[in-house]
Amino acid sequence: MELMEKNIIDYKPGDRVDAFLLVKSCTIRTSNKGGEYASVFLGDKTGEIQGMLWDLKLPEAAEIKNVKAGDIVKVRGLINEYNGSNQMKIIKFRMPTEEDAVDLSKMVPSAPLEGSVMFDRIRQAAETITDTELKKLTLTMMDRHKDRLLYYPAASKNHHAIRGGLMYHVYRMLLSAEALCDIYPVIRRDYIFTGVILHDIAKIYEIDSDENGVAGTYTFEGQMLGHIIQGIKMIEEVAVEIGMAEEKKIGIEHMILSHHYEPEFGSPKKPMFAEAELLHHLDMMDARLYDVEKNLRGVEPGSFSEKIWSMENRQLYKFKDSVLND
């Protein structure tokens, strides 16, 4: 078998791997027979793969328990197929040494636009909000949390789990909202702009991410409350500071509360006005289309993708004239 030096999305069953990869997460588990093994999600800028190190008693497994999200590791392994997806059997594993030349730019998946560019474009949109209270709420929250917003991912594993992913998600939703305001006169532009910009802002405190946008886990408060409740707390604090009218404050809080739509996804209330309804659909549309783009990259034209968990285990077809072939 040929030794492969390629991107994660290009690996096929039977390929051997010898590469530096970024650790997304590392979990030590116990088998039914009592032995320990490790499940390590490894990635580069194109995607990620689950690696399995089955026997932690081996010398090459000695350092595995010290590995954390954001580390770079040298891995040798063999690609196989498990439940319809690629998986790597890890054969050798080590931390890099001072002599190793590791190019971090090849490891970290990032949004196609710089965080500062997206932040400035979103802030310009916020400046056009005509309602003074909604404008002040939005700008205050953006400016107060700018440092994190420039690099934060929107998730740890699912849609927009990349450096700058949170801003990229908001940026594309905002472009869609701008267009739809011209089509549906029932939509109040100030409210949908405010809702789009703030709907996921608390993810900067729900997710534990480093400055490379690598999210290994969730914070204690994120686990206990989640970004919807955290976001409402953040809005409440600023709304009180600026003396915001109660109806407006509750309206924006309701948009945050209901944007996941279903109780099993974290929303105890469904949308109760037009802008809240639109916010949910903008959120879902961008998340789903991101997953389509992500999972079709690396798929041969005229072929189907692997099953995609976030899309109800559907397979996607890649047409021969797909723009993702460019």
Side-chain angles (χ1 to χ4, degrees):
M1 288 174 289
E2 181 184 357
L3 188 64
M4 305 303 292
E5 292 184 3
K6 54 172 67 175
N7 294 324
I8 286 288
I9 61 170
D10 298 322
Y11 291 151
K12 306 296 181 188
D15 289 346
R16 293 173 62 194
V17 183
D18 187 359
F20 288 101
L21 294 172
L22 177 72
V23 175
K24 298 296 190 71
S25 67
C26 180
T27 306
I28 307 300
R29 296 173 178 167
T30 304
S31 70
N32 293 333
K33 295 181 179 180
E36 288 186 320
Y37 66 95
S39 169
V40 191
F41 279 88
L42 301 160
D44 59 18
K45 66 180 180 181
T46 68
E48 67 180 37
I49 190 169
Q50 184 183 28
M52 305 299 296
L53 186 54
W54 292 111
D55 188 354
L56 299 196
K57 293 181 180 179
L58 297 173
E60 54 266 30
E63 296 180 284
I64 194 79
K65 292 185 178 181
N66 297 322
V67 167
K68 61 184 183 302
D71 285 344
I72 304 294
V73 295
K74 181 67 179 293
V75 178
R76 288 185 182 178
L78 178 66
I79 303 297
N80 52 49
E81 186 175 322
Y82 178 73
N83 282 344
S85 299
N86 284 347
Q87 188 180 80
M88 184 194 306
K89 178 183 178 181
I90 298 175
I91 299 169
K92 287 191 176 182
F93 171 97
R94 68 171 175 84
M95 303 300 288
T97 65
E98 293 182 0
E99 288 74 29
D100 291 319
V102 180
D103 186 354
L104 190 61
S105 67
K106 293 181 179 180
M107 306 291 167
V108 180
S110 302
L113 297 172
E114 284 293 328
S116 58
V117 172
M118 294 184 289
F119 182 91
D120 289 346
R121 173 64 178 82
I122 294 165
R123 199 182 188 287
Q124 286 171 10
E127 288 278 9
T128 69
I129 295 173
T130 56
D131 183 286
T132 55
E133 291 178 345
L134 293 178
K135 180 178 179 178
K136 191 169 185 179
L137 172 72
T138 306
L139 292 175
T140 298
M141 292 186 69
M142 285 191 70
D143 292 343
R144 188 167 291 178
H145 305 288
K146 180 178 179 178
D147 288 349
R148 290 194 180 199
L149 290 172
L150 292 179
Y151 65 83
Y152 242 76
S156 61
K157 289 185 179 178
N158 295 324
H159 74 88
H160 299 84
I162 56 177
R163 190 178 197 278
L166 180 55
M167 284 289 90
Y168 190 47
H169 179 46
V170 171
Y171 171 78
R172 297 209 300 186
M173 285 177 63
L174 190 60
L175 294 180
S176 297
E178 287 177 333
L180 290 173
C181 283
D182 293 332
I183 299 173
Y184 300 104
V186 68
I187 299 298
R188 293 169 296 174
R189 188 173 176 276
D190 288 351
Y191 275 81
I192 194 62
F193 275 31
T194 302
V196 164
I197 294 170
L198 301 183
H199 81 286
D200 272 349
I201 195 167
K203 285 189 173 183
I204 62 176
Y205 296 111
E206 178 189 40
I207 299 168
D208 186 10
S209 173
D210 63 20
E211 292 189 8
N212 290 319
V214 178
T217 184
Y218 287 83
T219 64
F220 174 70
E221 186 181 51
Q223 288 274 25
M224 296 292 282
L225 300 180
H227 72 277
I228 288 178
I229 300 302
Q230 289 173 292
I232 290 172
K233 287 174 60 181
M234 291 169 68
I235 289 168
E236 183 79 21
E237 179 183 348
V238 176
V240 170
E241 284 180 18
I242 66 176
M244 192 173 187
E246 188 75 359
E247 184 185 52
K248 291 178 190 175
K249 182 196 74 173
I250 291 177
I252 297 302
E253 290 176 342
H254 175 79
M255 292 177 75
I256 306 303
L257 187 71
S258 64
H259 82 271
H260 280 188
Y261 216 76
E262 302 289 353
E264 56 266 38
F265 299 132
S267 285
K269 288 282 188 179
K270 287 192 175 181
M272 298 175 71
F273 55 93
E275 295 81 11
E277 181 75 18
L278 178 57
L279 176 63
H280 164 70
H281 293 290
L282 289 171
D283 185 41
M284 286 298 298
M285 179 178 70
D286 188 59
R288 288 303 177 95
L289 288 176
Y290 178 87
D291 282 344
V292 169
E293 294 169 345
K294 174 185 175 182
N295 286 283
L296 284 181
R297 294 192 186 279
V299 174
E300 290 293 326
S303 301
F304 288 90
S305 71
E306 298 175 352
K307 291 181 179 179
I308 304 165
W309 175 83
S310 64
M311 301 186 75
E312 299 84 33
N313 281 327
R314 281 180 278 162
Q315 289 179 285
L316 298 176
Y317 181 72
K318 187 172 185 178
F319 282 88
K320 294 177 181 177
D321 62 350
S322 169
V323 297
L324 297 175
N325 295 332
D326 297 337

